[in-house]
Amino acid sequence: MKNIVLTGFMGTGKTEVGKILAKKLGFVFMDIDQFIEKEQGMSVSRIFEERGENGFRELEAKAVRKVSEMRNVVISTGGGAMLREENIENLKNSGILVCLSASPEVVFRRIGASKNRPLLQVTDPLQKIKDLMGFRRRYYEKSDIIIETDNMTPLLAAEEIISALPHLNDVHAGDKNGKC
Ligand code: S3P
């Protein structure tokens, strides 16, 4: 079986859902942000401070390359990973891309006050979420499956993903089962 790659915006539950999914499938769970933090010995926020967003994106691309080569893993990507063509290519070669989606309001409720998201340390985080999401939607929509998580617990989302997997052969571009 191919790897499962979770994509989507911050606060859509990729890490939590990924852990549950990995357990259910007997896969290893790999979180790209955590992989970077371990390799660099510092938090994502600190990397943003010291190297800027571009510096972080370079490390992210390197981490995506490495983790994509592993087998039997559920990979949770950072919300910006799909912005680079190189990452999309590596992740698509590695497995099935499942995008978790949520409305800006729900994302804001889940992580709006978090200090761990450098891109949201602005005076109006909700507006920033709306802007980033609007710009990024077309990248997230390159995923194979899209799961709407607004009214879903992480457990339900994991179960929904598993039930969508056998139907993958029916999933074609433009034939998505939701909006991202
Ligand atoms: C980012 C999302 C974060 C992390 C970094 C940048 C983004 O990951 O990679 O803060 O650009 O959306 P999560 O999606 O896991 O929060």
Side-chain angles (χ1 to χ4, degrees), residues 4-9 12 14 75 77-79 81-83 85 87-89 91-92 95-101 136-147 161 168 170-180:
I4 309 291
V5 181
L6 299 182
T7 69
F9 202 76
T12 51
K14 294 169 299 219
I75 304 170
T77 61
M82 291 291 282
L83 300 178
E85 195 52 46
N87 293 344
I88 297 179
E89 202 180 313
L91 294 168
K92 285 218 171 207
I96 297 154
L97 269 59
V98 180
C99 174
L100 299 187
S101 137
R136 292 177 174 186
R137 182 161 289 122
R138 63 199 152 110
Y139 297 97
Y140 297 141
E141 284 179 347
K142 295 184 179 183
S143 303
D144 301 302
I145 300 176
I146 296 165
I147 305 281
I161 292 169
L168 268 178
D170 303 331
V171 177
H172 302 293
D175 183 22
K176 314 278 186 190
N177 57 348
K179 274 192 161 184
C180 200

Side-chain angles (χ1 to χ4, degrees), residues 10 14 33 44 48 56-57 60 78-80 117-119 136:
M10 297 172 260
K14 294 169 299 219
D33 282 346
V44 167
F48 266 75
F56 173 76
R57 297 295 173 209
E60 186 177 50
R117 303 305 201 293
L119 294 178
R136 292 177 174 186

Side-chain angles (χ1 to χ4, degrees), residues 155-171:
L155 176 62
L156 268 177
E159 284 169 351
E160 178 96 359
I161 292 169
I162 289 171
S163 66
L165 292 178
H167 310 296
L168 268 178
N169 289 336
D170 303 331
V171 177

